Amino acid sequence: MKNKIKKILFGILAGILAILLIAVVILGWHFPGYLSKKEAVTIAPKAESITMMSCNLRCLTPLDLGKKSWFYRANLLVSDIAAQAPGIIGFQEATRWQYDYMADVLTGYDSVIDYRDNSLASEGCPIFYNTALYTLKDKGSFWLSATPEVMSKDWGAAHYRICSYVILTEKASGKDFVVFNTHLDHVSDEARINGIAVVLDKIAQFGGLPSVIMGDFNALEGSETYTSAIKHFQDAQYAAEATMEAHTYQNWGNPESYKRLDYFMISKTGWLALRYAVVQPIHDGVYASDHCPIVLEMTLT
């Protein structure tokens, strides 16, 4: 009887230790600092132009340890955002915890999000907009599949993929425009090609409003996905008056991985693109994500 009790107690103790170990791995040693540094940030975007930022957060994962941990780099990412002062922000790979963090910290912004599936670790492509500058007129989300109105995936996609959008009214001019934020599949080329086609079909329903597609396309220039997009849209890197050519994916600063995967695609009418830039700050030897954010400044015409 005593041996049985000892085994039960040992099992309970082992279970507690396993839970603690998992918590340490998932949260990282930086979790206390993460909580203490979580402070509201006030950003004042330019009123005379529309500045947008697209940012792949790198999802919260226990595989990222040390300075790659979300709990180390969350406030670094916020500082990168504040330095650019965007009025509109599109995030990719935003898990529920990451979205909640940004919603708490970025004061003066409202946001929209739908998650791509019902899993606990699901991701979304939220859009944040500064409420002093823009009014939300409409919003929605759809899946990059043959049945976009319902949660679904097709064409060999590794994950459910979603696109969220907002129709905003610029308060200063009274003009409306549409912003789409998406993250195309990282495995299936067919899913990327068909996925961007679904986005373009949706945009066609908005009657020619000035439009922007931002996000992580997981596709290189010259790919069929990219070529399909620029048949109807302009690549902002080449449309902007002031621009820079640089990779957007750097895999935590690994030169062998450098690629341009993140884009702003803008409609061929309705915009004057002023500035396009890739944000590349390094904080104490580490990037705030494995992707560099991109920034676009425009005016409505």
Side-chain angles (χ1 to χ4, degrees):
M1 188 68 173
K2 288 183 178 180
N3 288 336
K4 187 175 181 180
I5 293 173
K6 285 181 179 179
K7 287 181 180 180
I8 292 172
L9 291 174
F10 180 79
I12 292 172
L13 180 60
I16 293 172
L17 290 174
I19 291 171
L20 289 174
L21 179 60
I22 292 170
V24 167
V25 171
I26 293 175
L27 298 179
W29 297 110
H30 303 289
F31 188 64
Y34 169 79
L35 293 178
S36 66
K37 293 177 182 177
K38 186 178 180 181
E39 298 178 354
V41 174
T42 301
I43 298 171
K46 296 178 182 178
E48 64 273 16
S49 60
I50 298 172
T51 302
M52 302 186 188
M53 187 174 198
S54 177
C55 180
N56 185 315
L57 293 173
R58 170 65 177 182
C59 64
L60 194 161
T61 168
L63 299 177
D64 291 341
L65 303 176
K67 292 181 179 180
K68 294 179 182 177
S69 166
W70 166 252
F71 302 105
Y72 177 82
R73 58 190 178 81
N75 67 307
L76 303 181
L77 194 52
V78 171
S79 70
D80 289 349
I81 294 168
Q84 298 298 322
I88 300 166
I89 312 164
F91 293 116
Q92 301 89 43
E93 293 193 26
T95 62
R96 299 174 195 278
W97 302 276
Q98 291 169 302
Y99 170 72
D100 289 344
Y101 182 92
M102 289 299 179
D104 288 344
V105 168
L106 297 175
T107 60
Y109 293 78
D110 205 344
S111 58
V112 302
I113 188 171
D114 285 295
Y115 292 96
R116 67 188 188 187
D117 58 43
N118 294 323
S119 67
L120 184 62
S122 187
E123 300 171 12
C125 294
I127 302 171
F128 285 65
Y129 59 94
N130 187 280
T131 56
L133 300 179
Y134 311 106
T135 301
L136 180 67
K137 190 170 184 178
D138 197 6
K139 64 179 180 178
S141 297
F142 54 92
W143 281 262
L144 307 186
S145 71
T147 52
E149 301 308 318
V150 297
M151 187 185 299
S152 51
K153 63 177 180 176
D154 290 297
W155 309 306
H159 300 288
Y160 292 95
R161 295 293 181 178
I162 200 168
C163 179
S164 293
Y165 68 88
V166 292
I167 300 179
L168 297 174
T169 302
E170 184 183 38
K171 291 184 177 181
S173 67
K175 295 179 179 179
D176 295 341
F177 60 98
V178 193
V179 180
F180 289 77
N181 181 29
T182 195
H183 187 184
L184 303 183
D185 198 67
H186 69 298
V187 170
S188 170
D189 191 40
E190 183 183 4
R192 288 188 290 271
I193 294 166
N194 286 293
I196 198 65
V198 172
V199 176
L200 294 170
D201 286 345
K202 187 69 175 181
I203 290 175
Q205 299 175 19
F206 289 99
L209 282 176
S211 304
V212 177
I213 310 169
M214 67 168 76
D216 178 358
F217 284 24
N218 275 312
L220 299 173
E221 286 187 45
S223 66
E224 190 171 344
T225 300
Y226 178 88
T227 302
S228 295
I230 61 171
K231 284 180 181 177
H232 306 281
F233 279 69
Q234 302 177 86
D235 181 344
Q237 175 180 282
Y238 301 112
E241 294 178 349
T243 191
M244 64 183 291
E245 297 186 20
H247 58 270
T248 64
Y249 177 68
Q250 30 72 12
N251 192 21
W252 308 111
N254 179 3
E256 295 181 1
S257 300
Y258 288 175
K259 298 174 185 176
R260 185 175 182 231
L261 300 178
D262 305 83
Y263 301 91
F264 282 110
M265 296 289 175
I266 62 175
S267 53
K268 294 183 178 181
T269 59
W271 295 111
L272 175 62
L274 303 174
R275 179 178 66 95
Y276 167 87
V278 181
V279 181
Q280 300 174 309
I282 300 175
H283 307 268
D284 193 20
V286 70
Y287 288 93
S289 176
D290 58 344
H291 286 245
C292 294
I294 53 177
V295 176
L296 178 61
E297 184 180 353
M298 300 189 293
T299 57
L300 289 160
T301 60

